[in-house]
Amino acid sequence: MKTGIIDVGGGFRDIFGAGIMDYCLDKGIEFDYIIGISAGSANMASYLAKQRGRNYMFHMEYVFRKEYASLGNWLRTRNFVDLDYVYGTLCNHDAERPLDYKTFAASKAEFLIGACDARTGEPVYFTKDDVSQDHYDAFKASCALPVFCKPYPVNDIPCYDGGISDPVPVKKAFDDGCDRVVLILTRPVDHPRVAKSDATLGKLLSRHYPEAGKRLLERWKTYNDGVELAQQLEKEGKVLILAPDDTCGMKTLTKDKEKFEQMYQKGYRTAQKLDDFLKA
């Protein structure tokens, strides 16, 4: 039985996923196959490194630093979120909150980091082979929000946030041999994306990367189709969807400690559904 888990990300809202993965660490729950997209890739890195509470600390402390995410960053470098600061200054072996790379690399789980090729709009999946000690460019690529960040190059591929091209990669997980899949969403399952939510960013992105811009303009449908497939498979017992009942008013880049705590606790409580699903 090959069991997979997918964290689709959602910016700072994905402290919900951090709560789920901390529950998994507390209960010793392991997975054979893992996909992390955008902030979801950061959650999964800490999970594989067995560093409980690491992503909670990133939300509750580091995101409030101007070096992490700020208008000043964007004005200086055209990167609202300084990904080199997040995945370098804070994550390297001699940093404040280093990733335990040795434990991360030793994990037997298959790990994919989802990104979007800015030139073609197609999904790109990096693996642990694309990551080494203090070289976390694959995560930076997966988290490069369109317009808010410049594309981040990995292996000569300019990349944007993986949620653009394959926001809910349930089909990929089953195509890769999974028998059952846990899907982490950061918005209620009955709250579909709407076209207008990506309209402005999609048009701006299209000026420089037309194929990626096209994918972003279509993301509402790609996301909704992925969730619909997951719901169908959930009825068959092949998928478990873990989603919050509400977002506590959070958007992608909302900074609010009280809301962070609420979303984290929602994630931790929601993760209890794993117990019955994984016993089946």
Side-chain angles (χ1 to χ4, degrees), residues 171-207:
K171 182 178 184 300
K172 176 172 179 56
F174 283 100
D175 287 346
D176 286 349
C178 286
D179 299 292
R180 57 184 181 177
V181 171
V182 177
L183 174 65
I184 301 173
L185 303 177
T186 55
R187 61 174 66 215
V189 70
D190 58 352
H191 284 198
R193 292 191 71 92
V194 294
K196 66 179 181 180
S197 63
D198 293 316
T200 301
L201 291 181
K203 291 175 182 177
L204 290 172
L205 183 59
S206 295
R207 295 178 182 177

PDB file of all heavy atoms in Angstrom, residues 171-207:
ATOM      1  N   LYS A 171      -3.958  13.641  -9.460  1.00  0.00           N
ATOM      2  CA  LYS A 171      -3.795  12.701 -10.572  1.00  0.00           C
ATOM      3  C   LYS A 171      -2.340  12.262 -10.689  1.00  0.00           C
ATOM      4  O   LYS A 171      -2.065  11.076 -10.909  1.00  0.00           O
ATOM      5  CB  LYS A 171      -4.256  13.323 -11.887  1.00  0.00           C
ATOM      6  CG  LYS A 171      -4.165  12.385 -13.082  1.00  0.00           C
ATOM      7  CD  LYS A 171      -4.683  13.036 -14.351  1.00  0.00           C
ATOM      8  CE  LYS A 171      -4.678  12.043 -15.518  1.00  0.00           C
ATOM      9  NZ  LYS A 171      -3.311  11.523 -15.798  1.00  0.00           N
ATOM     10  N   LYS A 172      -1.410  13.186 -10.527  1.00  0.00           N
ATOM     11  CA  LYS A 172       0.001  12.837 -10.618  1.00  0.00           C
ATOM     12  C   LYS A 172       0.372  11.810  -9.555  1.00  0.00           C
ATOM     13  O   LYS A 172       1.106  10.850  -9.831  1.00  0.00           O
ATOM     14  CB  LYS A 172       0.885  14.073 -10.477  1.00  0.00           C
ATOM     15  CG  LYS A 172       2.371  13.719 -10.469  1.00  0.00           C
ATOM     16  CD  LYS A 172       3.271  14.907 -10.523  1.00  0.00           C
ATOM     17  CE  LYS A 172       4.742  14.466 -10.478  1.00  0.00           C
ATOM     18  NZ  LYS A 172       5.094  13.496 -11.548  1.00  0.00           N
ATOM     19  N   ALA A 173      -0.135  11.999  -8.349  1.00  0.00           N
ATOM     20  CA  ALA A 173       0.189  11.072  -7.269  1.00  0.00           C
ATOM     21  C   ALA A 173      -0.264   9.651  -7.601  1.00  0.00           C
ATOM     22  O   ALA A 173       0.479   8.686  -7.400  1.00  0.00           O
ATOM     23  CB  ALA A 173      -0.451  11.537  -5.968  1.00  0.00           C
ATOM     24  N   PHE A 174      -1.465   9.522  -8.150  1.00  0.00           N
ATOM     25  CA  PHE A 174      -1.942   8.192  -8.518  1.00  0.00           C
ATOM     26  C   PHE A 174      -1.210   7.664  -9.752  1.00  0.00           C
ATOM     27  O   PHE A 174      -0.909   6.469  -9.844  1.00  0.00           O
ATOM     28  CB  PHE A 174      -3.458   8.201  -8.730  1.00  0.00           C
ATOM     29  CG  PHE A 174      -4.228   8.208  -7.435  1.00  0.00           C
ATOM     30  CD1 PHE A 174      -4.771   9.373  -6.931  1.00  0.00           C
ATOM     31  CD2 PHE A 174      -4.392   7.033  -6.701  1.00  0.00           C
ATOM     32  CE1 PHE A 174      -5.463   9.391  -5.729  1.00  0.00           C
ATOM     33  CE2 PHE A 174      -5.080   7.025  -5.502  1.00  0.00           C
ATOM     34  CZ  PHE A 174      -5.624   8.213  -5.005  1.00  0.00           C
ATOM     35  N   ASP A 175      -0.891   8.540 -10.693  1.00  0.00           N
ATOM     36  CA  ASP A 175      -0.099   8.117 -11.859  1.00  0.00           C
ATOM     37  C   ASP A 175       1.268   7.614 -11.439  1.00  0.00           C
ATOM     38  O   ASP A 175       1.849   6.742 -12.099  1.00  0.00           O
ATOM     39  CB  ASP A 175       0.062   9.281 -12.844  1.00  0.00           C
ATOM     40  CG  ASP A 175      -1.205   9.603 -13.606  1.00  0.00           C
ATOM     41  OD1 ASP A 175      -2.149   8.774 -13.580  1.00  0.00           O
ATOM     42  OD2 ASP A 175      -1.266  10.675 -14.236  1.00  0.00           O
ATOM     43  N   ASP A 176       1.790   8.144 -10.338  1.00  0.00           N
ATOM     44  CA  ASP A 176       3.099   7.728  -9.837  1.00  0.00           C
ATOM     45  C   ASP A 176       3.015   6.513  -8.921  1.00  0.00           C
ATOM     46  O   ASP A 176       4.012   6.150  -8.278  1.00  0.00           O
ATOM     47  CB  ASP A 176       3.768   8.886  -9.086  1.00  0.00           C
ATOM     48  CG  ASP A 176       4.281   9.966 -10.029  1.00  0.00           C
ATOM     49  OD1 ASP A 176       4.304   9.730 -11.257  1.00  0.00           O
ATOM     50  OD2 ASP A 176       4.673  11.050  -9.542  1.00  0.00           O
ATOM     51  N   GLY A 177       1.838   5.893  -8.861  1.00  0.00           N
ATOM     52  CA  GLY A 177       1.720   4.620  -8.171  1.00  0.00           C
ATOM     53  C   GLY A 177       1.114   4.632  -6.792  1.00  0.00           C
ATOM     54  O   GLY A 177       1.081   3.588  -6.118  1.00  0.00           O
ATOM     55  N   CYS A 178       0.613   5.766  -6.335  1.00  0.00           N
ATOM     56  CA  CYS A 178      -0.010   5.787  -5.014  1.00  0.00           C
ATOM     57  C   CYS A 178      -1.326   5.008  -5.026  1.00  0.00           C
ATOM     58  O   CYS A 178      -2.075   5.044  -6.005  1.00  0.00           O
ATOM     59  CB  CYS A 178      -0.277   7.221  -4.560  1.00  0.00           C
ATOM     60  SG  CYS A 178       1.211   8.109  -4.060  1.00  0.00           S
ATOM     61  N   ASP A 179      -1.599   4.323  -3.924  1.00  0.00           N
ATOM     62  CA  ASP A 179      -2.862   3.610  -3.760  1.00  0.00           C
ATOM     63  C   ASP A 179      -3.880   4.459  -3.003  1.00  0.00           C
ATOM     64  O   ASP A 179      -5.090   4.271  -3.158  1.00  0.00           O
ATOM     65  CB  ASP A 179      -2.631   2.307  -2.990  1.00  0.00           C
ATOM     66  CG  ASP A 179      -1.687   1.368  -3.728  1.00  0.00           C
ATOM     67  OD1 ASP A 179      -2.083   0.860  -4.789  1.00  0.00           O
ATOM     68  OD2 ASP A 179      -0.556   1.171  -3.244  1.00  0.00           O
ATOM     69  N   ARG A 180      -3.386   5.365  -2.183  1.00  0.00           N
ATOM     70  CA  ARG A 180      -4.248   6.281  -1.438  1.00  0.00           C
ATOM     71  C   ARG A 180      -3.464   7.561  -1.180  1.00  0.00           C
ATOM     72  O   ARG A 180      -2.231   7.538  -1.086  1.00  0.00           O
ATOM     73  CB  ARG A 180      -4.731   5.652  -0.135  1.00  0.00           C
ATOM     74  CG  ARG A 180      -3.608   5.185   0.778  1.00  0.00           C
ATOM     75  CD  ARG A 180      -4.135   4.481   2.004  1.00  0.00           C
ATOM     76  NE  ARG A 180      -3.039   4.062   2.881  1.00  0.00           N
ATOM     77  CZ  ARG A 180      -3.210   3.472   4.052  1.00  0.00           C
ATOM     78  NH1 ARG A 180      -4.428   3.222   4.507  1.00  0.00           N
ATOM     79  NH2 ARG A 180      -2.154   3.133   4.792  1.00  0.00           N
ATOM     80  N   VAL A 181      -4.200   8.655  -1.059  1.00  0.00           N
ATOM     81  CA  VAL A 181      -3.548   9.966  -0.977  1.00  0.00           C
ATOM     82  C   VAL A 181      -4.263  10.856   0.037  1.00  0.00           C
ATOM     83  O   VAL A 181      -5.503  10.907   0.070  1.00  0.00           O
ATOM     84  CB  VAL A 181      -3.548  10.673  -2.358  1.00  0.00           C
ATOM     85  CG1 VAL A 181      -3.082  12.118  -2.230  1.00  0.00           C
ATOM     86  CG2 VAL A 181      -2.671   9.913  -3.345  1.00  0.00           C
ATOM     87  N   VAL A 182      -3.494  11.541   0.836  1.00  0.00           N
ATOM     88  CA  VAL A 182      -3.993  12.578   1.728  1.00  0.00           C
ATOM     89  C   VAL A 182      -3.733  13.925   1.049  1.00  0.00           C
ATOM     90  O   VAL A 182      -2.613  14.187   0.598  1.00  0.00           O
ATOM     91  CB  VAL A 182      -3.286  12.543   3.095  1.00  0.00           C
ATOM     92  CG1 VAL A 182      -3.769  13.689   3.990  1.00  0.00           C
ATOM     93  CG2 VAL A 182      -3.511  11.195   3.773  1.00  0.00           C
ATOM     94  N   LEU A 183      -4.765  14.745   0.954  1.00  0.00           N
ATOM     95  CA  LEU A 183      -4.653  16.037   0.289  1.00  0.00           C
ATOM     96  C   LEU A 183      -4.886  17.158   1.293  1.00  0.00           C
ATOM     97  O   LEU A 183      -5.951  17.232   1.912  1.00  0.00           O
ATOM     98  CB  LEU A 183      -5.673  16.143  -0.847  1.00  0.00           C
ATOM     99  CG  LEU A 183      -5.771  17.490  -1.556  1.00  0.00           C
ATOM    100  CD1 LEU A 183      -4.474  17.818  -2.296  1.00  0.00           C
ATOM    101  CD2 LEU A 183      -6.959  17.516  -2.522  1.00  0.00           C
ATOM    102  N   ILE A 184      -3.903  18.029   1.449  1.00  0.00           N
ATOM    103  CA  ILE A 184      -4.024  19.183   2.340  1.00  0.00           C
ATOM    104  C   ILE A 184      -4.367  20.412   1.514  1.00  0.00           C
ATOM    105  O   ILE A 184      -3.606  20.827   0.633  1.00  0.00           O
ATOM    106  CB  ILE A 184      -2.714  19.442   3.113  1.00  0.00           C
ATOM    107  CG1 ILE A 184      -2.335  18.220   3.956  1.00  0.00           C
ATOM    108  CG2 ILE A 184      -2.853  20.683   3.992  1.00  0.00           C
ATOM    109  CD1 ILE A 184      -0.969  18.333   4.627  1.00  0.00           C
ATOM    110  N   LEU A 185      -5.525  21.004   1.800  1.00  0.00           N
ATOM    111  CA  LEU A 185      -5.936  22.265   1.199  1.00  0.00           C
ATOM    112  C   LEU A 185      -5.895  23.342   2.276  1.00  0.00           C
ATOM    113  O   LEU A 185      -6.023  23.039   3.465  1.00  0.00           O
ATOM    114  CB  LEU A 185      -7.360  22.166   0.634  1.00  0.00           C
ATOM    115  CG  LEU A 185      -7.634  21.077  -0.408  1.00  0.00           C
ATOM    116  CD1 LEU A 185      -9.114  21.089  -0.799  1.00  0.00           C
ATOM    117  CD2 LEU A 185      -6.769  21.278  -1.646  1.00  0.00           C
ATOM    118  N   THR A 186      -5.769  24.591   1.862  1.00  0.00           N
ATOM    119  CA  THR A 186      -5.748  25.667   2.856  1.00  0.00           C
ATOM    120  C   THR A 186      -6.932  26.616   2.704  1.00  0.00           C
ATOM    121  O   THR A 186      -6.923  27.726   3.232  1.00  0.00           O
ATOM    122  CB  THR A 186      -4.427  26.457   2.778  1.00  0.00           C
ATOM    123  OG1 THR A 186      -4.231  26.944   1.451  1.00  0.00           O
ATOM    124  CG2 THR A 186      -3.257  25.574   3.170  1.00  0.00           C
ATOM    125  N   ARG A 187      -7.934  26.164   1.993  1.00  0.00           N
ATOM    126  CA  ARG A 187      -9.210  26.864   1.935  1.00  0.00           C
ATOM    127  C   ARG A 187     -10.291  25.789   2.046  1.00  0.00           C
ATOM    128  O   ARG A 187     -10.036  24.623   1.729  1.00  0.00           O
ATOM    129  CB  ARG A 187      -9.363  27.654   0.631  1.00  0.00           C
ATOM    130  CG  ARG A 187      -9.334  26.804  -0.621  1.00  0.00           C
ATOM    131  CD  ARG A 187      -9.644  27.640  -1.867  1.00  0.00           C
ATOM    132  NE  ARG A 187      -8.619  28.612  -2.141  1.00  0.00           N
ATOM    133  CZ  ARG A 187      -8.863  29.820  -2.646  1.00  0.00           C
ATOM    134  NH1 ARG A 187     -10.108  30.195  -2.918  1.00  0.00           N
ATOM    135  NH2 ARG A 187      -7.877  30.641  -2.896  1.00  0.00           N
ATOM    136  N   PRO A 188     -11.484  26.138   2.499  1.00  0.00           N
ATOM    137  CA  PRO A 188     -12.543  25.130   2.624  1.00  0.00           C
ATOM    138  C   PRO A 188     -12.758  24.397   1.299  1.00  0.00           C
ATOM    139  O   PRO A 188     -12.687  24.996   0.228  1.00  0.00           O
ATOM    140  CB  PRO A 188     -13.766  25.959   3.035  1.00  0.00           C
ATOM    141  CG  PRO A 188     -13.189  27.131   3.745  1.00  0.00           C
ATOM    142  CD  PRO A 188     -11.922  27.463   3.001  1.00  0.00           C
ATOM    143  N   VAL A 189     -13.055  23.125   1.394  1.00  0.00           N
ATOM    144  CA  VAL A 189     -13.193  22.311   0.188  1.00  0.00           C
ATOM    145  C   VAL A 189     -14.364  22.765  -0.672  1.00  0.00           C
ATOM    146  O   VAL A 189     -14.364  22.567  -1.896  1.00  0.00           O
ATOM    147  CB  VAL A 189     -13.323  20.819   0.574  1.00  0.00           C
ATOM    148  CG1 VAL A 189     -14.657  20.554   1.246  1.00  0.00           C
ATOM    149  CG2 VAL A 189     -13.115  19.922  -0.628  1.00  0.00           C
ATOM    150  N   ASP A 190     -15.357  23.393  -0.055  1.00  0.00           N
ATOM    151  CA  ASP A 190     -16.523  23.850  -0.807  1.00  0.00           C
ATOM    152  C   ASP A 190     -16.408  25.319  -1.222  1.00  0.00           C
ATOM    153  O   ASP A 190     -17.395  25.949  -1.580  1.00  0.00           O
ATOM    154  CB  ASP A 190     -17.804  23.640   0.006  1.00  0.00           C
ATOM    155  CG  ASP A 190     -17.786  24.347   1.350  1.00  0.00           C
ATOM    156  OD1 ASP A 190     -16.723  24.882   1.742  1.00  0.00           O
ATOM    157  OD2 ASP A 190     -18.836  24.374   2.020  1.00  0.00           O
ATOM    158  N   HIS A 191     -15.189  25.865  -1.181  1.00  0.00           N
ATOM    159  CA  HIS A 191     -14.937  27.226  -1.639  1.00  0.00           C
ATOM    160  C   HIS A 191     -14.090  27.174  -2.903  1.00  0.00           C
ATOM    161  O   HIS A 191     -12.847  27.208  -2.833  1.00  0.00           O
ATOM    162  CB  HIS A 191     -14.212  28.039  -0.569  1.00  0.00           C
ATOM    163  CG  HIS A 191     -15.082  28.478   0.558  1.00  0.00           C
ATOM    164  ND1 HIS A 191     -14.738  29.492   1.420  1.00  0.00           N
ATOM    165  CD2 HIS A 191     -16.292  28.033   0.982  1.00  0.00           C
ATOM    166  CE1 HIS A 191     -15.690  29.654   2.326  1.00  0.00           C
ATOM    167  NE2 HIS A 191     -16.646  28.779   2.075  1.00  0.00           N
ATOM    168  N   PRO A 192     -14.705  27.078  -4.071  1.00  0.00           N
ATOM    169  CA  PRO A 192     -13.928  27.000  -5.310  1.00  0.00           C
ATOM    170  C   PRO A 192     -13.205  28.307  -5.599  1.00  0.00           C
ATOM    171  O   PRO A 192     -13.602  29.381  -5.128  1.00  0.00           O
ATOM    172  CB  PRO A 192     -14.994  26.721  -6.366  1.00  0.00           C
ATOM    173  CG  PRO A 192     -16.247  27.313  -5.803  1.00  0.00           C
ATOM    174  CD  PRO A 192     -16.159  27.084  -4.326  1.00  0.00           C
ATOM    175  N   ARG A 193     -12.124  28.205  -6.357  1.00  0.00           N
ATOM    176  CA  ARG A 193     -11.463  29.414  -6.837  1.00  0.00           C
ATOM    177  C   ARG A 193     -12.336  30.054  -7.906  1.00  0.00           C
ATOM    178  O   ARG A 193     -13.086  29.362  -8.603  1.00  0.00           O
ATOM    179  CB  ARG A 193     -10.096  29.092  -7.432  1.00  0.00           C
ATOM    180  CG  ARG A 193      -9.062  28.626  -6.422  1.00  0.00           C
ATOM    181  CD  ARG A 193      -7.674  28.597  -7.048  1.00  0.00           C
ATOM    182  NE  ARG A 193      -7.179  29.934  -7.278  1.00  0.00           N
ATOM    183  CZ  ARG A 193      -6.440  30.632  -6.410  1.00  0.00           C
ATOM    184  NH1 ARG A 193      -6.118  30.098  -5.245  1.00  0.00           N
ATOM    185  NH2 ARG A 193      -6.030  31.852  -6.691  1.00  0.00           N
ATOM    186  N   VAL A 194     -12.227  31.363  -8.050  1.00  0.00           N
ATOM    187  CA  VAL A 194     -12.976  32.082  -9.085  1.00  0.00           C
ATOM    188  C   VAL A 194     -11.985  32.754 -10.025  1.00  0.00           C
ATOM    189  O   VAL A 194     -10.859  33.091  -9.644  1.00  0.00           O
ATOM    190  CB  VAL A 194     -13.931  33.130  -8.473  1.00  0.00           C
ATOM    191  CG1 VAL A 194     -15.022  32.446  -7.669  1.00  0.00           C
ATOM    192  CG2 VAL A 194     -13.169  34.111  -7.593  1.00  0.00           C
ATOM    193  N   ALA A 195     -12.395  32.935 -11.256  1.00  0.00           N
ATOM    194  CA  ALA A 195     -11.499  33.440 -12.298  1.00  0.00           C
ATOM    195  C   ALA A 195     -10.897  34.793 -11.942  1.00  0.00           C
ATOM    196  O   ALA A 195      -9.712  35.050 -12.187  1.00  0.00           O
ATOM    197  CB  ALA A 195     -12.251  33.529 -13.625  1.00  0.00           C
ATOM    198  N   LYS A 196     -11.697  35.660 -11.335  1.00  0.00           N
ATOM    199  CA  LYS A 196     -11.227  37.025 -11.086  1.00  0.00           C
ATOM    200  C   LYS A 196     -10.101  37.084 -10.055  1.00  0.00           C
ATOM    201  O   LYS A 196      -9.361  38.064 -10.000  1.00  0.00           O
ATOM    202  CB  LYS A 196     -12.377  37.915 -10.648  1.00  0.00           C
ATOM    203  CG  LYS A 196     -12.985  37.565  -9.302  1.00  0.00           C
ATOM    204  CD  LYS A 196     -14.112  38.544  -8.951  1.00  0.00           C
ATOM    205  CE  LYS A 196     -14.717  38.235  -7.581  1.00  0.00           C
ATOM    206  NZ  LYS A 196     -15.801  39.183  -7.253  1.00  0.00           N
ATOM    207  N   SER A 197      -9.951  36.028  -9.251  1.00  0.00           N
ATOM    208  CA  SER A 197      -8.927  36.054  -8.201  1.00  0.00           C
ATOM    209  C   SER A 197      -7.515  36.102  -8.776  1.00  0.00           C
ATOM    210  O   SER A 197      -6.589  36.610  -8.130  1.00  0.00           O
ATOM    211  CB  SER A 197      -9.076  34.837  -7.271  1.00  0.00           C
ATOM    212  OG  SER A 197      -8.862  33.637  -7.988  1.00  0.00           O
ATOM    213  N   ASP A 198      -7.329  35.581  -9.983  1.00  0.00           N
ATOM    214  CA  ASP A 198      -6.006  35.575 -10.607  1.00  0.00           C
ATOM    215  C   ASP A 198      -5.933  36.460 -11.844  1.00  0.00           C
ATOM    216  O   ASP A 198      -4.904  36.483 -12.523  1.00  0.00           O
ATOM    217  CB  ASP A 198      -5.617  34.143 -11.011  1.00  0.00           C
ATOM    218  CG  ASP A 198      -5.412  33.233  -9.809  1.00  0.00           C
ATOM    219  OD1 ASP A 198      -4.774  33.679  -8.840  1.00  0.00           O
ATOM    220  OD2 ASP A 198      -5.900  32.094  -9.843  1.00  0.00           O
ATOM    221  N   ALA A 199      -6.998  37.178 -12.146  1.00  0.00           N
ATOM    222  CA  ALA A 199      -7.075  37.919 -13.404  1.00  0.00           C
ATOM    223  C   ALA A 199      -5.987  38.985 -13.526  1.00  0.00           C
ATOM    224  O   ALA A 199      -5.263  39.053 -14.528  1.00  0.00           O
ATOM    225  CB  ALA A 199      -8.454  38.546 -13.559  1.00  0.00           C
ATOM    226  N   THR A 200      -5.840  39.819 -12.509  1.00  0.00           N
ATOM    227  CA  THR A 200      -4.866  40.910 -12.579  1.00  0.00           C
ATOM    228  C   THR A 200      -3.435  40.391 -12.641  1.00  0.00           C
ATOM    229  O   THR A 200      -2.645  40.800 -13.505  1.00  0.00           O
ATOM    230  CB  THR A 200      -5.026  41.859 -11.381  1.00  0.00           C
ATOM    231  OG1 THR A 200      -6.346  42.401 -11.379  1.00  0.00           O
ATOM    232  CG2 THR A 200      -4.011  42.985 -11.450  1.00  0.00           C
ATOM    233  N   LEU A 201      -3.100  39.460 -11.735  1.00  0.00           N
ATOM    234  CA  LEU A 201      -1.749  38.913 -11.724  1.00  0.00           C
ATOM    235  C   LEU A 201      -1.449  38.153 -13.008  1.00  0.00           C
ATOM    236  O   LEU A 201      -0.335  38.213 -13.526  1.00  0.00           O
ATOM    237  CB  LEU A 201      -1.559  37.993 -10.515  1.00  0.00           C
ATOM    238  CG  LEU A 201      -1.547  38.658  -9.136  1.00  0.00           C
ATOM    239  CD1 LEU A 201      -1.319  37.624  -8.052  1.00  0.00           C
ATOM    240  CD2 LEU A 201      -0.484  39.744  -9.057  1.00  0.00           C
ATOM    241  N   GLY A 202      -2.451  37.435 -13.512  1.00  0.00           N
ATOM    242  CA  GLY A 202      -2.262  36.688 -14.747  1.00  0.00           C
ATOM    243  C   GLY A 202      -1.937  37.593 -15.920  1.00  0.00           C
ATOM    244  O   GLY A 202      -1.061  37.300 -16.745  1.00  0.00           O
ATOM    245  N   LYS A 203      -2.613  38.718 -16.008  1.00  0.00           N
ATOM    246  CA  LYS A 203      -2.368  39.663 -17.089  1.00  0.00           C
ATOM    247  C   LYS A 203      -0.989  40.304 -16.962  1.00  0.00           C
ATOM    248  O   LYS A 203      -0.278  40.490 -17.953  1.00  0.00           O
ATOM    249  CB  LYS A 203      -3.461  40.726 -17.110  1.00  0.00           C
ATOM    250  CG  LYS A 203      -4.825  40.185 -17.537  1.00  0.00           C
ATOM    251  CD  LYS A 203      -5.917  41.253 -17.416  1.00  0.00           C
ATOM    252  CE  LYS A 203      -7.268  40.680 -17.800  1.00  0.00           C
ATOM    253  NZ  LYS A 203      -8.365  41.680 -17.617  1.00  0.00           N
ATOM    254  N   LEU A 204      -0.603  40.649 -15.736  1.00  0.00           N
ATOM    255  CA  LEU A 204       0.716  41.232 -15.517  1.00  0.00           C
ATOM    256  C   LEU A 204       1.821  40.232 -15.845  1.00  0.00           C
ATOM    257  O   LEU A 204       2.820  40.580 -16.478  1.00  0.00           O
ATOM    258  CB  LEU A 204       0.841  41.698 -14.068  1.00  0.00           C
ATOM    259  CG  LEU A 204       0.014  42.920 -13.675  1.00  0.00           C
ATOM    260  CD1 LEU A 204       0.084  43.139 -12.162  1.00  0.00           C
ATOM    261  CD2 LEU A 204       0.493  44.166 -14.408  1.00  0.00           C
ATOM    262  N   LEU A 205       1.633  38.992 -15.410  1.00  0.00           N
ATOM    263  CA  LEU A 205       2.635  37.962 -15.676  1.00  0.00           C
ATOM    264  C   LEU A 205       2.776  37.695 -17.171  1.00  0.00           C
ATOM    265  O   LEU A 205       3.874  37.437 -17.674  1.00  0.00           O
ATOM    266  CB  LEU A 205       2.258  36.673 -14.945  1.00  0.00           C
ATOM    267  CG  LEU A 205       3.235  35.494 -15.058  1.00  0.00           C
ATOM    268  CD1 LEU A 205       4.606  35.861 -14.528  1.00  0.00           C
ATOM    269  CD2 LEU A 205       2.684  34.281 -14.303  1.00  0.00           C
ATOM    270  N   SER A 206       1.681  37.788 -17.902  1.00  0.00           N
ATOM    271  CA  SER A 206       1.680  37.492 -19.337  1.00  0.00           C
ATOM    272  C   SER A 206       2.552  38.454 -20.143  1.00  0.00           C
ATOM    273  O   SER A 206       2.976  38.127 -21.258  1.00  0.00           O
ATOM    274  CB  SER A 206       0.246  37.525 -19.878  1.00  0.00           C
ATOM    275  OG  SER A 206      -0.533  36.490 -19.310  1.00  0.00           O
ATOM    276  N   ARG A 207       2.834  39.608 -19.578  1.00  0.00           N
ATOM    277  CA  ARG A 207       3.667  40.575 -20.298  1.00  0.00           C
ATOM    278  C   ARG A 207       5.079  40.043 -20.516  1.00  0.00           C
ATOM    279  O   ARG A 207       5.709  40.340 -21.534  1.00  0.00           O
ATOM    280  CB  ARG A 207       3.731  41.887 -19.512  1.00  0.00           C
ATOM    281  CG  ARG A 207       2.398  42.620 -19.393  1.00  0.00           C
ATOM    282  CD  ARG A 207       2.559  43.875 -18.555  1.00  0.00           C
ATOM    283  NE  ARG A 207       1.299  44.592 -18.384  1.00  0.00           N
ATOM    284  CZ  ARG A 207       1.160  45.692 -17.647  1.00  0.00           C
ATOM    285  NH1 ARG A 207       2.226  46.203 -17.030  1.00  0.00           N
ATOM    286  NH2 ARG A 207      -0.017  46.278 -17.534  1.00  0.00           N
TER     287      ARG A 207
END
